[in-house]
Amino acid sequence: MQAKARNDLARMFAEELAKAGLEAGEIDTFATPRRLGLIARGLPLATAAVSEELKGPRASAPPQALEGFLRKTGLTQDQLVERDGVLFAVIDKPGQPTAAVLGSAIKRIIRGFPWPKSMRWGEASASTSSLRWVRPLQGIVALLGDEIVPVSVEGLASGATTVGHRFHHPGPITLGGASDYAEKLRACHVIVDADERAAIIRDGAHALAAGAGLTLVEDEGLVAENAGLTEWPVPLLGRFDPDYLDVPPEVIQLTARTNQKYFVLKDETGALAPAFICTANIEASDGGAAIVAGNQRVLAARLSDARFFWEQDLKIPLDEQAQKLSGIVFHEKLGTVAERVQRIADLAEWLAIEAVVPGCDPDHARRASELSKADLVTGMVGEFPELQGLIGGYLAEAQGEPKAVAEAVRDHYKPIGQGDDVPAAPVTVAVALADKLDTLRAFFGAGMPPTGSKDPFALRRAALGVIQIVTANGLRLPIAEGDLLDFFADRLKVQQREAGVRHDLIDAVFALGGEDDLVRLLARVTALQGFVEGGEGANLLAGYKRAANILKKENWDLPRVMADRGEQGMPQTGEEDPLAMVEEMPQLVREMAQGSALPADAPEAERALVSALDHAEPAAKAAVEAEDFGAAMAALASLRGPIDAFFEAVTVNDADPAVRRRRLNILARFRDAVHGVADFSRIEG
């Protein structure tokens, strides 16, 4: 809230200045738990005088129109200026003292400040129109230079007096202006710069950890939170009973962080140490001994509660916990959590049996799936929902499950987001993949895909997780079909954008249809990107687009073999006989494949292109089938010179209809050969 308040204050102040025609040379903002401040430097002492011109009626207009214009402007007729038969009012507005502008501006800012949470207080709070602020507003300091800017809000008048630290210097402090604001408060144990407070906490915590022979578990979010809670931060080292270390370390860290805002530490082995660092808000006379003792007692109570939940959960087998899932509805359209678990188990086992996930034991995959959601009903996860999965893994290990099963239970939610670890252990991969695929298939099957920015079931995150698991582990499986496949295509573009992969190339491969193998798709996209970003690919793309444009203009979608025989072809009415020429078709295809359909007088450029197609088409097709997409691109590259020469030497729209049909069919063959690798019409550039 403090960071947002600083940004809002700077924005609102700049907007108010702009309305008055003012601009500051520099604006700085400050925030502590007790104050919000802004310093604007380089302000002029007055606004500039302005002259405003208003266009009025024509000089010959009826008297009523003139009278209305005079009332609007407050001028008399002899003060108007006539130009080209039209009357104008020229209104001169003298400059205003900046102090007067600031007074009303500050009042509007205070009354309209967009706190995400606010309150009313005192007698005035009986009215809903009374001032709302994040906490009761105690004082307003408003100075222009060394002069007080008069502001009054709800009976609270501005001045030059503030207060220092709540304990070290609770008395009034008189400020001389912006120049001594930060230093006078520092002298009274208030550091107004949040970044400076954060640095004190960060550096102090590292120093304390090093002095104790330990390592700080870094947490920038916690640094910022402690900086926002203190005006004079003092990091202190405390310790807790090592007996609590039998509780999972993540539980200890979460307890310390969430409930107490403490940093945790690790020993030289990387294990959690029985120590913590808290941040006091005072410079204690005893060096902080009493503060540390108090925090140690509070943390001990928290850890005692956590250990109680852990010990109780250990007593109940996960199988028994899993039985409770039949009483929990996953979604009204999708059954209970227990039914979902069975779907995940069936899918994970299938992934193992079919060797989609190599090296995965089917029994372990099913067992891990059946236990994967059991910790949702444990006391520990009830207290710390963030630890679902993790607690299940610890319980599975403690209750004697195989290591692979315990790890899969622990990590099957991964990856939770971009940058999170992607599972690599076979059983974990199978369960994690099955979990996410079931979520996607279930909600899409029930007609509940994400809409717009709304994604209440985190389906986008699940799809990204599937993509990361499949691509990182090289898994070969059909991931989806229909709308869900389109959804994966969109998520793949998002995921691959950070890897520098162009979205239009993904479209070009998906547009071929039938591609639901992410590993194969990305291999094709990678080869395609290398090809089109090189000289040969760029030139071939230009030739393709020229050919495609000609074919589109001519609406040339007829079978080329029919046209090459001199047939008129099937009219595109939808009434053609689909069995026409069935007996002749094989021979025609053979003729075209051998290039023998060209007459003896065909130009050399035309013959060269057909010859290149005779070699490139089967080579590209075979390479695609072998998933050698580099070779497929190389086959296409062999068409670059012939297609350029064809367009250079040959007129496609020849006066002879038969020649024109033949050449259009050659271009259609060229287009189709390219489409065997990717839909180049989707490629930008």
Side-chain angles (χ1 to χ4, degrees), residues 226 229-230 234-241 244 252 255-263 274-282 284 286-304:
N226 276 289
L229 290 168
T230 56
V234 179
L236 298 169
L237 176 70
R239 298 186 180 273
F240 59 86
D241 190 336
Y244 288 118
I252 296 174
T255 299
R257 185 194 197 282
T258 304
N259 295 322
Q260 301 304 127
K261 321 302 179 194
Y262 298 161
F263 297 91
F276 65 92
I277 291 175
C278 61
T279 307
N281 190 34
I282 62 171
D286 63 354
I291 295 173
V292 168
N295 280 280
Q296 288 178 164
R297 286 194 297 272
V298 173
L299 182 59
R302 295 282 190 183
L303 294 178
S304 179

Side-chain angles (χ1 to χ4, degrees), residues 387-666:
L387 298 181
Q388 56 187 286
L390 194 68
I391 293 301
Y394 279 116
L395 290 171
E397 184 179 11
Q399 294 174 4
E401 296 292 340
K403 182 179 179 181
V405 170
E407 288 179 349
V409 172
R410 180 190 68 201
D411 294 334
H412 78 280
Y413 288 105
K414 293 183 175 182
I416 295 174
Q418 204 72 4
D420 191 19
D421 294 336
V422 179
V427 178
T428 306
V429 168
V431 180
L433 188 58
D435 177 51
K436 292 165 180 60
L437 285 174
D438 175 75
T439 297
L440 290 161
R441 290 174 175 175
F443 282 104
F444 269 81
M448 294 184 286
T451 55
S453 61
K454 296 180 179 178
D455 187 10
F457 308 111
L459 302 186
R460 293 187 178 96
R461 187 174 69 190
L464 283 173
V466 170
I467 291 169
Q468 289 176 273
I469 292 171
V470 168
T471 55
N473 292 281
L475 305 184
R476 312 303 300 271
L477 78 161
I479 55 169
E481 58 186 18
D483 291 343
L484 184 52
L485 184 59
D486 294 338
F487 181 69
F488 268 106
D490 290 338
R491 292 300 93 201
L492 187 64
K493 293 175 199 173
V494 173
Q495 191 257 355
Q496 288 293 307
R497 186 184 300 132
E498 294 186 4
V501 176
R502 289 167 43 178
H503 68 88
D504 58 325
L505 302 184
I506 295 176
D507 281 338
V509 176
F510 264 116
L512 297 177
E515 184 57 271
D516 56 3
D517 183 319
L518 290 180
V519 173
R520 185 171 60 222
L521 183 144
L522 285 176
R524 185 181 295 208
V525 168
T526 300
L528 181 60
Q529 181 153 343
F531 178 60
V532 300
E533 291 180 352
E536 288 186 333
N539 289 337
L540 183 69
L541 178 61
Y544 165 85
K545 288 186 179 293
R546 186 173 178 182
N549 287 336
I550 292 171
L551 294 168
K552 182 178 180 181
K553 184 178 179 180
E554 298 296 327
N555 195 25
W556 201 256
D557 292 323
L558 308 182
R560 67 172 182 272
V561 288
M562 295 184 64
D564 274 337
R565 288 281 294 223
E567 301 290 337
Q568 186 63 36
M570 294 179 286
Q572 297 186 47
T573 62
E575 300 175 0
E576 61 273 10
D577 181 1
L579 298 180
M581 298 182 66
V582 165
E583 294 180 0
E584 298 181 62
M585 195 66 70
Q587 176 61 27
L588 295 175
V589 172
R590 282 195 298 274
E591 289 178 3
M592 284 300 297
Q594 296 165 358
S596 61
L598 288 177
D601 61 348
E604 179 57 31
E606 194 172 342
R607 291 181 174 280
L609 179 56
V610 170
S611 176
L613 286 167
D614 288 343
H615 291 90
E617 276 183 307
K621 182 179 179 181
V624 167
E625 290 175 352
E627 298 186 16
D628 186 352
F629 300 112
M633 301 303 161
L636 290 187
S638 69
L639 297 174
R640 172 201 161 183
I643 191 66
D644 288 346
F646 178 85
F647 282 125
E648 189 72 28
V650 171
T651 300
V652 176
N653 287 321
D654 193 90
D656 185 337
V659 173
R660 175 176 171 272
R661 284 198 302 269
R662 185 181 75 229
R663 290 174 181 171
L664 286 171
N665 285 326
I666 292 173

Side-chain angles (χ1 to χ4, degrees), residues 348 350-361 424-427 429-431 433 475:
W350 178 86
L351 291 170
I353 291 172
E354 297 297 321
V356 173
V357 181
C360 180
D361 184 317
V427 178
V429 168
V431 180
L433 188 58
L475 305 184

Side-chain angles (χ1 to χ4, degrees), residues 44-286:
L45 296 180
T47 64
V50 295
S51 181
E52 182 180 9
E53 185 174 273
L54 298 177
K55 184 179 179 181
R58 298 190 64 82
S60 58
Q64 297 89 334
L66 178 59
E67 290 171 4
F69 184 60
L70 293 174
R71 283 196 301 271
K72 176 183 175 182
T73 60
L75 301 178
T76 60
Q77 185 172 352
D78 61 344
Q79 291 176 303
L80 300 180
V81 176
E82 182 179 344
R83 288 198 300 270
D84 298 327
V86 178
L87 297 174
F88 291 86
V90 179
I91 303 172
D92 294 321
K93 294 183 178 180
Q96 286 183 283
T98 299
V101 173
L102 292 178
S104 56
I106 293 169
K107 186 171 182 176
R108 285 192 294 272
I109 290 172
I110 292 174
R111 283 204 163 276
F113 205 81
W115 291 108
K117 294 182 180 180
S118 59
M119 61 182 290
R120 304 194 305 269
W121 64 93
E123 295 181 3
S125 64
S127 169
T128 56
S129 63
S130 65
L131 175 67
R132 302 182 69 94
W133 202 247
V134 65
R135 287 288 184 269
L137 188 58
Q138 303 293 326
I140 303 169
V141 173
L143 298 172
L144 180 61
D146 57 3
E147 297 295 325
I148 295 174
V149 176
V151 181
S152 180
V153 180
E154 298 278 347
L156 192 63
S158 62
T161 303
T162 185
V163 294
H165 191 281
R166 186 186 300 275
F167 302 111
H168 287 298
H169 200 295
I173 305 168
T174 301
L175 301 172
S179 59
D180 67 359
Y181 172 69
E183 291 312 312
K184 278 196 172 180
L185 282 171
R186 183 187 300 275
C188 297
H189 284 77
V190 175
I191 297 172
V192 296
D193 186 346
D195 291 339
E196 184 180 348
R197 297 197 302 274
I200 291 171
I201 294 167
R202 187 185 304 109
D203 296 344
H206 276 292
L208 287 170
L214 304 172
T215 303
L216 179 73
V217 176
E218 297 194 22
D219 189 332
E220 277 301 306
L222 199 52
V223 169
E225 191 167 6
N226 276 289
L229 290 168
T230 56
E231 290 195 318
W232 191 260
V234 179
L236 298 169
L237 176 70
R239 298 186 180 273
F240 59 86
D241 190 336
D243 286 349
Y244 288 118
L245 292 176
D246 59 359
V247 176
E250 292 85 357
V251 174
I252 296 174
Q253 183 171 358
L254 192 62
T255 299
R257 185 194 197 282
T258 304
N259 295 322
Q260 301 304 127
K261 321 302 179 194
Y262 298 161
F263 297 91
V264 296
L265 307 165
K266 289 187 176 181
D267 61 23
E268 65 277 1
T269 69
L272 194 67
F276 65 92
I277 291 175
C278 61
T279 307
N281 190 34
I282 62 171
E283 196 81 57
S285 58
D286 63 354

